[in-house]
Amino acid sequence: KNWFVNLYANFNYNKNQITELFNGYQEYAMPDYGLCYQVGRDAGEFYMETRLRVDPADGQYVWVMIDPVTGERGETKNFSQATAELQGVSRYAPMTGGFGLNAQWKGLSVAADFSWVKDKYLINNDRIYTLMDAYSSYNRDKALLNRWEKPGDIAEWGAFGTNDGYFDTSLLENASFLRLKNLRIRTASLRPRS
């Protein structure tokens, strides 16, 4: 009789798919916005150049290049020749929800609310300033500790002077989260009323 416990949860599943485009188009690309609407695909799917690796020989970045005639995939070290492509991840989370607890025992009560998002992606623009060589007077990202320095280095980031703020898949991040939104703990006076 001294206990009260209330648990709750909610769950949302959202699936979107382009079924038709204007004027009979099957695809409508807007590379400056990182979007390409394509029949049968998610409307929020990212469309950008795919960075493959840093070349161990010279510290230059390597991107995917797709031949427009044959569709054959190749590689290039020139970003202007790289081909934007759909990345299979979306800016719109397919699953979201929340859960919580409200419990009381005698004069003590605890309430906690959580929210979560799964499989949402975003472009982390802040990394342009923390990784781009032109902004070297700003605080630097610790990821640059894994930067190419000499031939043979296997590195995540290219040689100094190669980080020019390319909007490619290196800026694409999983933004899924679980967050404590609210926590409340209260005590009531345990003294008997007079």
Side-chain angles (χ1 to χ4, degrees):
K1 67 181 182 180
N2 293 324
W3 279 95
F4 168 79
V5 178
N6 179 31
L7 298 171
Y8 62 89
N10 64 60
F11 172 79
N12 305 297
Y13 178 73
N14 300 297
K15 179 178 179 179
N16 76 76
Q17 185 180 53
I18 298 170
T19 57
E20 185 179 354
L21 292 172
F22 61 96
N23 293 335
Y25 284 108
Q26 294 298 302
E27 179 179 290
Y28 183 72
M30 296 178 286
D32 290 343
Y33 299 100
L35 287 172
C36 178
Y37 297 132
Q38 190 178 95
V39 173
R41 303 295 289 252
D42 185 309
E45 189 172 345
F46 283 96
Y47 180 73
M48 58 198 325
E49 290 78 3
T50 303
R51 183 184 293 180
L52 296 173
R53 65 183 176 282
V54 173
D55 187 338
D58 59 11
Q60 300 296 307
Y61 292 113
V62 180
W63 292 276
V64 168
M65 178 177 62
I66 301 173
D67 186 293
V69 177
T70 65
E72 191 173 309
R73 293 172 71 85
E75 297 179 355
T76 182
K77 292 182 183 178
N78 184 342
F79 184 74
S80 64
Q81 295 174 349
T83 307
E85 59 185 338
L86 288 166
Q87 296 298 323
V89 294
S90 179
R91 63 193 77 227
Y92 306 127
M95 292 179 278
T96 62
F99 59 92
L101 161 77
N102 185 359
Q104 295 176 6
W105 177 71
K106 294 189 177 181
L108 178 66
S109 68
V110 176
D113 300 308
F114 294 85
S115 65
W116 59 271
V117 168
K118 183 165 179 3
D119 294 334
K120 173 185 172 62
Y121 282 76
L122 58 76
I123 295 173
N124 186 346
N125 290 328
D126 291 342
R127 296 195 89 190
I128 291 287
Y129 300 100
T130 61
L131 294 168
M132 190 171 165
D133 292 331
Y135 294 98
S136 59
S137 62
Y138 290 83
N139 287 337
R140 308 304 281 155
D141 194 306
K142 69 179 180 179
L144 289 176
L145 294 172
N146 187 9
R147 169 176 248 170
W148 185 92
E149 294 179 7
K150 62 186 181 312
D153 283 351
I154 305 299
E156 180 183 1
W157 298 98
F160 187 81
T162 61
N163 293 335
D164 291 330
Y166 302 112
F167 274 84
D168 60 20
T169 53
S170 67
L171 300 178
L172 194 57
E173 294 183 359
N174 188 330
S176 302
F177 66 84
L178 169 64
R179 178 178 300 140
L180 173 62
K181 290 178 61 177
N182 184 39
L183 175 63
R184 185 182 71 233
I185 301 172
R186 291 192 295 191
T187 60
S189 172
L190 299 176
R191 290 179 299 174
R193 295 183 180 177
S194 52

